[in-house]
Amino acid sequence: MDINEQNSNSKAELDILAHKNHEFEEEHLIDTGNNALKKKGKKSSYFFTTQDLLIASILGIMGGFISGLIPFSLLIKTWYPFVGGTQLVSGHHLLWMVIAYGLTGKKRTIFVTATIQGFMNFLFGSSWGIMEVGITLYEGIFLFIGMYLMQLFGESDTKLGWAIAAGIGNLSQVPLFWIITGKIYILHWSLFVMAMMFGFLSGILIAGVLGYLIVERIKKTGVI
């Protein structure tokens, strides 16, 4: 083998190594700049992209912080002191999950956001302790089911579809809390029905409609 042929083979091997290194960088490194533009629209081989996880994490932290520190129930108790009235503002728990779904387009991000939000609530001293993670995930599961049902009916991208799905998600937590607190066994059934109505309405307005409008506004800015 002469020197020219040996140099040619070495150059070919270097080209192969450079090509493989370029493919590895495109597959594993965080996408920025021109590389992100080239890969935009391609389906990821992972469950979540880096952007999906960032969005879900930020919204989960925001939701846990706001839910854990702001006593929304006091806004209602001042003029509606009866049991179940606080359900009128309970939809804010699901708002962050709805926004995460809207910005990522993936229903699975609901669970990521719910887990982080529940853990943040626990850290901020929720009266339910670590159970707060399970409770938030429970609500997220029913929101997921609601979004899936709306997808079957072709309403997954409409304001009506989001409103109904969020209503279903928020409605689910009413019987759960009434059972684990024992209220359902000692209070009149009419109060339970009223709480269910308030929970469904709050989910529709605060989580569904408001979440839809927020997502639309963010998308129009071109940030995401």
Side-chain angles (χ1 to χ4, degrees):
M1 181 181 294
D2 56 23
I3 295 176
N4 290 333
E5 184 178 354
Q6 190 174 18
N7 289 336
S8 177
N9 289 338
S10 298
K11 186 175 182 301
E13 290 176 357
L14 289 174
D15 290 340
I16 292 173
L17 288 174
H19 180 69
K20 288 182 177 179
N21 184 54
H22 180 68
E23 287 182 342
F24 177 85
E25 289 180 349
E26 284 195 341
E27 181 178 358
H28 295 281
L29 295 183
I30 296 175
D31 297 328
T32 58
N34 293 331
N35 190 40
L37 291 175
K38 287 191 298 181
K39 296 180 70 176
K40 190 175 182 180
K42 292 185 179 180
K43 187 175 181 181
S44 173
S45 58
Y46 302 98
F47 283 110
F48 303 107
T49 64
T50 304
Q51 179 174 281
D52 294 338
L53 293 175
L54 283 173
I55 290 172
S57 299
I58 291 170
L59 289 169
I61 292 170
M62 288 176 61
F65 179 83
I66 292 174
S67 299
L69 296 183
I70 300 178
F72 288 96
S73 60
L74 295 180
L75 300 173
I76 301 299
K77 287 183 177 180
T78 54
W79 60 271
Y80 188 88
F82 302 106
V83 175
T86 55
Q87 290 296 332
L88 283 169
V89 292
S90 60
H92 71 88
H93 293 290
L94 289 176
L95 174 63
W96 316 99
M97 305 177 209
V98 172
I99 296 175
Y101 162 70
L103 294 179
T104 62
K106 297 177 181 178
K107 290 188 286 295
R108 292 187 296 266
T109 54
I110 293 173
F111 301 123
V112 179
T113 307
T115 301
I116 296 172
Q117 181 176 327
F119 190 70
M120 289 297 296
N121 282 336
F122 161 65
L123 292 179
F124 282 116
S126 169
S127 58
W128 295 103
I130 195 62
M131 283 180 60
E132 189 68 41
V133 179
I135 292 171
T136 311
L137 271 172
Y138 171 86
E139 295 174 337
I141 289 172
F142 279 89
L143 175 62
F144 179 94
I145 293 173
M147 289 295 185
Y148 178 75
L149 292 175
M150 292 303 103
Q151 184 178 359
L152 294 180
F153 288 105
E155 296 288 343
S156 59
D157 296 323
T158 66
K159 189 185 298 183
L160 174 64
W162 285 30
I164 296 175
I168 293 172
N170 200 48
L171 176 69
S172 66
Q173 49 85 22
V174 179
L176 173 66
F177 280 112
W178 276 64
I179 290 173
I180 61 179
T181 58
K183 293 178 182 178
I184 198 168
Y185 306 113
I186 59 177
L187 297 177
H188 196 269
W189 62 269
S190 61
L191 292 174
F192 174 71
V193 173
M194 188 68 70
M196 293 279 284
M197 291 172 58
F198 287 163
F200 186 66
L201 181 63
S202 180
I204 288 176
L205 297 178
I206 297 179
V209 175
L210 181 59
Y212 182 90
L213 294 176
I214 291 174
V215 170
E216 286 293 298
R217 182 59 61 88
I218 293 175
K219 287 183 176 180
K220 284 181 180 178
T221 64
V223 176
I224 297 178

